[in-house]
Amino acid sequence: MNCLEFRRRVGAEPSVSGDEIEAHRRECAACARHQDELRAMDTLIGRALAVDAARIRKSGAAVSPARITPRRPRWLALAASIVIGLSVGLALWISSPRPSLAREVFDHVAHEPAAMTATVPIASEALAGVLDPAGTRLRPGIGDVTYARRCIFEWRVVPHLVVRTPQGPVTVLLLRHRSVSGPVRLAEQGYVGVVLPAPRGSIAIVGQDLKDLDGIAQQVFEAVDWGN
């Protein structure tokens, strides 16, 4: 089982298990953590819905038939309760402790090692398809982009690029949804990188054995036009 198949299966059913699922969990820490997060969110939503359902039953039991007054259809009330329950569950999940941003970036890069080995430049039309939905483009001079995909990062779809530089390939993640107050650095298992504040959220630049990380990061940062 590969990562894509694993994530499709756990996305459809977070509690799914089995020999193939458990084997992949042992081989891929990032996928294992992804399923754990889905399971946690599923549990929180379930608890929120259970609490709301109990409140509805209690409220209904207190109503006397003689005091029934015109009201909205029960299906409308039930739908509203489900929406409230889902909102509460999602809010609880968002507010729960999560790995640091540096860890999230490292795990994402390590999860797609083949991206760093690509050498064929991406066609401008394909690159625009990855960047334009976010209103972003690259200025000339950044170097060849050899990988461009829209990936899931912290439950958001973000552009994931690999740019060839004189010091080697670097991964670039454009994180419009994630603001940082200052540079966030990471260094693990040969990878070094930095997340910088940007006009729209932040930008992560990661590579291996980079001698001048700050210089490369500045070059990449200045090449991104964030648009509106």
Side-chain angles (χ1 to χ4, degrees):
M1 174 179 290
N2 59 34
C3 295
L4 179 59
E5 182 181 356
F6 178 91
R7 295 195 178 213
R8 282 175 176 169
R9 290 185 61 180
V10 302
E13 186 180 355
S15 62
V16 67
S17 61
D19 292 342
E20 287 185 321
I21 294 293
E22 296 306 317
H24 189 78
R25 283 177 60 90
R26 289 191 294 270
E27 295 171 358
C28 182
C31 280
R33 184 165 56 80
H34 177 71
Q35 185 181 23
D36 291 341
E37 290 178 349
L38 288 178
R39 286 173 171 173
M41 185 172 67
D42 204 42
T43 299
L44 287 171
I45 291 174
R47 289 176 180 172
L49 289 173
V51 170
D52 205 58
R55 181 182 62 79
I56 292 173
R57 287 195 298 271
K58 183 177 179 180
S59 175
V63 176
S64 169
R67 297 175 60 189
I68 293 178
T69 57
R71 57 181 180 176
R72 291 176 296 177
R74 289 185 60 84
W75 68 264
L76 188 58
L78 179 59
S81 298
I82 291 175
V83 170
I84 293 171
L86 289 172
S87 299
V88 171
L90 184 58
L92 289 172
W93 178 82
I94 291 174
S95 63
S96 63
R98 287 179 288 166
S100 69
L101 177 58
R103 166 57 61 178
E104 292 278 3
V105 170
F106 170 76
D107 283 351
H108 190 86
V109 174
H111 183 69
E112 301 185 39
M116 297 288 278
T117 64
T119 58
V120 178
I122 299 294
S124 58
E125 295 82 3
L127 181 58
V130 172
L131 295 175
D132 283 353
T136 309
R137 67 182 184 88
L138 297 181
R139 298 184 177 96
I142 190 175
D144 289 336
V145 177
T146 57
Y147 182 89
R149 296 287 188 278
R150 295 181 65 77
C151 298
I152 301 297
F153 183 90
E154 295 185 324
W155 298 89
R156 304 296 182 93
V157 179
V158 306
H160 175 173
L161 313 176
V162 172
V163 179
R164 311 297 294 191
T165 77
Q167 296 187 44
V170 296
T171 292
V172 179
L173 300 176
L174 305 180
L175 310 176
R176 280 177 166 254
H177 70 285
R178 190 66 129 90
S179 297
V180 295
S181 58
V184 178
R185 296 184 178 275
L186 68 91
E188 189 166 345
Q189 298 183 24
Y191 288 95
V192 292
V194 63
V195 183
L196 299 174
R200 300 288 185 273
S202 60
I203 179 171
I205 301 101
V206 183
Q208 290 181 292
D209 304 320
L210 298 178
K211 296 180 180 179
D212 183 15
L213 170 62
D214 291 340
I216 292 295
Q218 187 65 28
Q219 177 186 351
V220 172
F221 180 88
E222 293 176 351
V224 178
D225 180 349
W226 293 85
N228 299 321

